[in-house]
Amino acid sequence: MDSVERVFTALRRQQPDRVPVIEFVVDEKVARAALPDCLDVADCLDRLGLDGVDCGAYFARTCEHADGTYDDEWGVTYMANTEVVAHPIRGPSIPAVTRLTLRR
């Protein structure tokens, strides 16, 4: 069973040959440390034999603050850092969620 068959079999709630291995987010620095000659994160994950390709996590910045924090479209405030995904420190704010809900 190849990776695609394995993942889709599991999604159909059937039994694959083994549990699919999927990593949500891999920082490029981690990929390069694991396999220094990898072309990129996708190449690293493929060569490590993972069944799923990471999709990353990106939320649009809607407001940048002088202290280095920023808000996303959901009203969550993040502290920017050197990691692939910033850490949320506040939120979401109820007014922002309400505004987004009313727009839909």
Tab-separated table of all heavy atoms in Angstrom, residues 55-90:
chain	number	residue	atom	x	y	z
A	55	CYS	N	0.846	20.927	5.578
A	55	CYS	CA	0.161	22.028	4.900
A	55	CYS	C	0.570	23.369	5.478
A	55	CYS	O	0.241	24.399	4.935
A	55	CYS	CB	-1.353	21.853	5.016
A	55	CYS	SG	-1.949	21.894	6.706
A	56	GLY	N	1.270	23.353	6.589
A	56	GLY	CA	1.665	24.601	7.214
A	56	GLY	C	0.481	25.288	7.868
A	56	GLY	O	-0.646	24.813	7.819
A	57	ALA	N	0.768	26.382	8.487
A	57	ALA	CA	-0.284	27.150	9.146
A	57	ALA	C	-0.043	28.620	8.861
A	57	ALA	O	0.985	29.170	9.242
A	57	ALA	CB	-0.265	26.891	10.646
A	58	TYR	N	-0.953	29.226	8.144
A	58	TYR	CA	-0.818	30.635	7.822
A	58	TYR	C	-2.136	31.330	8.086
A	58	TYR	O	-3.179	30.888	7.622
A	58	TYR	CB	-0.423	30.849	6.358
A	58	TYR	CG	-0.413	32.307	5.996
A	58	TYR	CD1	0.651	33.124	6.372
A	58	TYR	CD2	-1.481	32.882	5.333
A	58	TYR	CE1	0.653	34.467	6.082
A	58	TYR	CE2	-1.486	34.230	5.029
A	58	TYR	CZ	-0.418	35.026	5.406
A	58	TYR	OH	-0.424	36.367	5.133
A	59	PHE	N	-2.061	32.399	8.859
A	59	PHE	CA	-3.229	33.225	9.124
A	59	PHE	C	-2.855	34.648	8.732
A	59	PHE	O	-1.789	35.141	9.096
A	59	PHE	CB	-3.626	33.154	10.602
A	59	PHE	CG	-3.919	31.744	11.050
A	59	PHE	CD1	-2.986	31.021	11.773
A	59	PHE	CD2	-5.115	31.134	10.724
A	59	PHE	CE1	-3.243	29.716	12.168
A	59	PHE	CE2	-5.384	29.829	11.108
A	59	PHE	CZ	-4.444	29.122	11.835
A	60	ALA	N	-3.722	35.286	7.980
A	60	ALA	CA	-3.431	36.625	7.466
A	60	ALA	C	-3.276	37.629	8.603
A	60	ALA	O	-4.085	37.671	9.524
A	60	ALA	CB	-4.555	37.076	6.536
A	61	ARG	N	-2.225	38.408	8.518
A	61	ARG	CA	-1.998	39.478	9.508
A	61	ARG	C	-2.907	40.648	9.156
A	61	ARG	O	-2.862	41.165	8.041
A	61	ARG	CB	-0.546	39.932	9.483
A	61	ARG	CG	0.420	38.867	9.948
A	61	ARG	CD	1.843	39.376	9.907
A	61	ARG	NE	2.766	38.323	10.300
A	61	ARG	CZ	3.910	38.550	10.908
A	61	ARG	NH1	4.299	39.773	11.176
A	61	ARG	NH2	4.691	37.540	11.234
A	62	THR	N	-3.709	41.059	10.119
A	62	THR	CA	-4.605	42.182	9.860
A	62	THR	C	-4.178	43.446	10.591
A	62	THR	O	-4.633	44.532	10.249
A	62	THR	CB	-6.051	41.836	10.285
A	62	THR	OG1	-6.056	41.507	11.676
A	62	THR	CG2	-6.597	40.683	9.462
A	63	CYS	N	-3.324	43.293	11.611
A	63	CYS	CA	-2.881	44.459	12.381
A	63	CYS	C	-1.528	44.142	13.011
A	63	CYS	O	-1.375	43.138	13.688
A	63	CYS	CB	-3.910	44.785	13.462
A	63	CYS	SG	-3.464	46.210	14.467
A	64	GLU	N	-0.535	44.992	12.767
A	64	GLU	CA	0.795	44.833	13.354
A	64	GLU	C	0.943	45.844	14.487
A	64	GLU	O	0.544	46.997	14.342
A	64	GLU	CB	1.866	45.075	12.290
A	64	GLU	CG	1.684	44.237	11.053
A	64	GLU	CD	2.795	43.217	10.849
A	64	GLU	OE1	3.768	43.230	11.621
A	64	GLU	OE2	2.656	42.419	9.923
A	65	HIS	N	1.510	45.410	15.605
A	65	HIS	CA	1.687	46.276	16.774
A	65	HIS	C	3.165	46.608	16.976
A	65	HIS	O	4.040	45.829	16.577
A	65	HIS	CB	1.130	45.593	18.028
A	65	HIS	CG	-0.306	45.184	17.893
A	65	HIS	ND1	-1.344	46.085	17.964
A	65	HIS	CD2	-0.866	43.977	17.646
A	65	HIS	CE1	-2.493	45.446	17.788
A	65	HIS	NE2	-2.225	44.159	17.590
A	66	ALA	N	3.441	47.745	17.608
A	66	ALA	CA	4.809	48.214	17.817
A	66	ALA	C	5.647	47.248	18.656
A	66	ALA	O	6.873	47.211	18.526
A	66	ALA	CB	4.789	49.594	18.477
A	67	ASP	N	5.004	46.436	19.498
A	67	ASP	CA	5.750	45.516	20.374
A	67	ASP	C	6.139	44.209	19.674
A	67	ASP	O	6.650	43.289	20.302
A	67	ASP	CB	4.956	45.212	21.637
A	67	ASP	CG	3.650	44.484	21.369
A	67	ASP	OD1	3.306	44.238	20.194
A	67	ASP	OD2	2.957	44.159	22.354
A	68	GLY	N	5.894	44.112	18.357
A	68	GLY	CA	6.256	42.912	17.613
A	68	GLY	C	5.143	41.887	17.523
A	68	GLY	O	5.289	40.859	16.883
A	69	THR	N	4.016	42.156	18.170
A	69	THR	CA	2.880	41.243	18.071
A	69	THR	C	2.030	41.628	16.855
A	69	THR	O	2.178	42.717	16.300
A	69	THR	CB	2.012	41.274	19.343
A	69	THR	OG1	1.475	42.598	19.510
A	69	THR	CG2	2.813	40.879	20.581
A	70	TYR	N	1.153	40.715	16.470
A	70	TYR	CA	0.228	41.017	15.379
A	70	TYR	C	-1.060	40.248	15.591
A	70	TYR	O	-1.097	39.256	16.308
A	70	TYR	CB	0.840	40.696	14.015
A	70	TYR	CG	1.148	39.240	13.789
A	70	TYR	CD1	0.212	38.387	13.209
A	70	TYR	CD2	2.376	38.708	14.159
A	70	TYR	CE1	0.492	37.043	13.005
A	70	TYR	CE2	2.667	37.375	13.949
A	70	TYR	CZ	1.719	36.545	13.379
A	70	TYR	OH	1.996	35.223	13.185
A	71	ASP	N	-2.133	40.736	14.979
A	71	ASP	CA	-3.438	40.086	15.046
A	71	ASP	C	-3.723	39.418	13.710
A	71	ASP	O	-3.345	39.928	12.658
A	71	ASP	CB	-4.554	41.101	15.328
A	71	ASP	CG	-4.365	41.818	16.655
A	71	ASP	OD1	-3.649	41.298	17.526
A	71	ASP	OD2	-4.945	42.912	16.801
A	72	ASP	N	-4.430	38.273	13.774
A	72	ASP	CA	-4.844	37.616	12.531
A	72	ASP	C	-6.303	37.940	12.244
A	72	ASP	O	-6.941	38.701	12.965
A	72	ASP	CB	-4.583	36.107	12.583
A	72	ASP	CG	-5.507	35.355	13.527
A	72	ASP	OD1	-6.473	35.944	14.073
A	72	ASP	OD2	-5.270	34.151	13.724
A	73	GLU	N	-6.819	37.360	11.168
A	73	GLU	CA	-8.192	37.655	10.758
A	73	GLU	C	-9.239	37.174	11.747
A	73	GLU	O	-10.408	37.543	11.654
A	73	GLU	CB	-8.471	37.091	9.361
A	73	GLU	CG	-8.554	35.585	9.297
A	73	GLU	CD	-7.260	34.889	8.920
A	73	GLU	OE1	-6.186	35.340	9.335
A	73	GLU	OE2	-7.331	33.867	8.208
A	74	TRP	N	-8.842	36.327	12.709
A	74	TRP	CA	-9.783	35.824	13.717
A	74	TRP	C	-9.710	36.616	15.014
A	74	TRP	O	-10.378	36.289	15.977
A	74	TRP	CB	-9.513	34.348	13.994
A	74	TRP	CG	-9.702	33.527	12.775
A	74	TRP	CD1	-8.737	33.018	11.962
A	74	TRP	CD2	-10.945	33.146	12.189
A	74	TRP	NE1	-9.296	32.332	10.912
A	74	TRP	CE2	-10.666	32.402	11.030
A	74	TRP	CE3	-12.280	33.367	12.534
A	74	TRP	CZ2	-11.659	31.871	10.213
A	74	TRP	CZ3	-13.264	32.840	11.715
A	74	TRP	CH2	-12.947	32.103	10.573
A	75	GLY	N	-8.845	37.638	15.062
A	75	GLY	CA	-8.717	38.429	16.278
A	75	GLY	C	-7.765	37.823	17.290
A	75	GLY	O	-7.719	38.255	18.437
A	76	VAL	N	-6.987	36.827	16.886
A	76	VAL	CA	-5.993	36.224	17.769
A	76	VAL	C	-4.704	37.024	17.663
A	76	VAL	O	-4.277	37.384	16.563
A	76	VAL	CB	-5.731	34.743	17.389
A	76	VAL	CG1	-4.631	34.143	18.237
A	76	VAL	CG2	-7.020	33.940	17.519
A	77	THR	N	-4.083	37.320	18.806
A	77	THR	CA	-2.830	38.061	18.834
A	77	THR	C	-1.676	37.069	18.981
A	77	THR	O	-1.724	36.167	19.821
A	77	THR	CB	-2.809	39.066	19.997
A	77	THR	OG1	-3.918	39.961	19.847
A	77	THR	CG2	-1.517	39.865	20.019
A	78	TYR	N	-0.652	37.234	18.156
A	78	TYR	CA	0.521	36.366	18.148
A	78	TYR	C	1.778	37.155	18.468
A	78	TYR	O	1.864	38.342	18.140
A	78	TYR	CB	0.727	35.745	16.762
A	78	TYR	CG	-0.366	34.808	16.339
A	78	TYR	CD1	-1.529	35.292	15.749
A	78	TYR	CD2	-0.240	33.446	16.518
A	78	TYR	CE1	-2.533	34.432	15.357
A	78	TYR	CE2	-1.245	32.577	16.130
A	78	TYR	CZ	-2.387	33.074	15.552
A	78	TYR	OH	-3.384	32.216	15.171
A	79	MET	N	2.749	36.462	19.053
A	79	MET	CA	4.078	37.038	19.228
A	79	MET	C	4.963	36.429	18.149
A	79	MET	O	5.139	35.211	18.104
A	79	MET	CB	4.634	36.710	20.612
A	79	MET	CG	6.079	37.172	20.816
A	79	MET	SD	6.332	38.953	20.635
A	79	MET	CE	5.607	39.548	22.137
A	80	ALA	N	5.472	37.277	17.265
A	80	ALA	CA	6.345	36.796	16.194
A	80	ALA	C	7.623	36.229	16.805
A	80	ALA	O	8.084	36.685	17.853
A	80	ALA	CB	6.669	37.939	15.245
A	81	ASN	N	8.173	35.195	16.166
A	81	ASN	CA	9.409	34.580	16.642
A	81	ASN	C	10.124	33.948	15.457
A	81	ASN	O	9.728	34.128	14.319
A	81	ASN	CB	9.106	33.552	17.746
A	81	ASN	CG	8.149	32.472	17.274
A	81	ASN	OD1	8.312	31.901	16.207
A	81	ASN	ND2	7.130	32.181	18.064
A	82	THR	N	11.159	33.194	15.731
A	82	THR	CA	11.930	32.571	14.648
A	82	THR	C	11.379	31.215	14.244
A	82	THR	O	11.921	30.577	13.353
A	82	THR	CB	13.401	32.412	15.060
A	82	THR	OG1	13.463	31.583	16.228
A	82	THR	CG2	14.034	33.762	15.351
A	83	GLU	N	10.324	30.745	14.898
A	83	GLU	CA	9.728	29.451	14.590
A	83	GLU	C	8.843	29.570	13.351
A	83	GLU	O	8.423	30.655	12.960
A	83	GLU	CB	8.875	28.977	15.771
A	83	GLU	CG	9.605	29.021	17.084
A	83	GLU	CD	9.941	27.663	17.617
A	83	GLU	OE1	9.301	26.693	17.209
A	83	GLU	OE2	10.843	27.583	18.441
A	84	VAL	N	8.508	28.442	12.757
A	84	VAL	CA	7.680	28.440	11.558
A	84	VAL	C	6.257	28.908	11.864
A	84	VAL	O	5.595	29.498	11.025
A	84	VAL	CB	7.684	27.054	10.888
A	84	VAL	CG1	6.977	26.023	11.718
A	84	VAL	CG2	7.111	27.118	9.494
A	85	VAL	N	5.783	28.677	13.085
A	85	VAL	CA	4.448	29.112	13.489
A	85	VAL	C	4.588	29.975	14.741
A	85	VAL	O	5.192	29.554	15.725
A	85	VAL	CB	3.529	27.904	13.796
A	85	VAL	CG1	2.177	28.361	14.285
A	85	VAL	CG2	3.394	27.020	12.573
A	86	ALA	N	4.049	31.175	14.688
A	86	ALA	CA	4.089	32.061	15.849
A	86	ALA	C	3.154	31.530	16.935
A	86	ALA	O	2.204	30.801	16.658
A	86	ALA	CB	3.677	33.470	15.438
A	87	HIS	N	3.428	31.913	18.160
A	87	HIS	CA	2.624	31.443	19.286
A	87	HIS	C	1.523	32.441	19.622
A	87	HIS	O	1.799	33.626	19.807
A	87	HIS	CB	3.511	31.232	20.513
A	87	HIS	CG	4.584	30.226	20.272
A	87	HIS	ND1	4.338	28.883	20.284
A	87	HIS	CD2	5.894	30.366	19.976
A	87	HIS	CE1	5.457	28.225	20.028
A	87	HIS	NE2	6.406	29.109	19.825
A	88	PRO	N	0.266	31.972	19.714
A	88	PRO	CA	-0.809	32.888	20.111
A	88	PRO	C	-0.645	33.283	21.567
A	88	PRO	O	-0.283	32.462	22.404
A	88	PRO	CB	-2.079	32.063	19.897
A	88	PRO	CG	-1.642	30.642	19.866
A	88	PRO	CD	-0.221	30.621	19.445
A	89	ILE	N	-0.879	34.553	21.863
A	89	ILE	CA	-0.776	35.009	23.247
A	89	ILE	C	-2.092	35.565	23.792
A	89	ILE	O	-2.250	35.674	24.992
A	89	ILE	CB	0.351	36.056	23.418
A	89	ILE	CG1	0.135	37.278	22.515
A	89	ILE	CG2	1.711	35.437	23.145
A	89	ILE	CD1	1.091	38.414	22.766
A	90	ARG	N	-3.028	35.891	22.905
A	90	ARG	CA	-4.349	36.379	23.321
A	90	ARG	C	-5.366	36.081	22.241
A	90	ARG	O	-5.030	36.016	21.074
A	90	ARG	CB	-4.335	37.907	23.515
A	90	ARG	CG	-3.802	38.407	24.804
A	90	ARG	CD	-4.037	39.918	24.970
A	90	ARG	NE	-3.506	40.716	23.866
A	90	ARG	CZ	-2.245	41.122	23.777
A	90	ARG	NH1	-1.386	40.812	24.691
A	90	ARG	NH2	-1.853	41.847	22.753
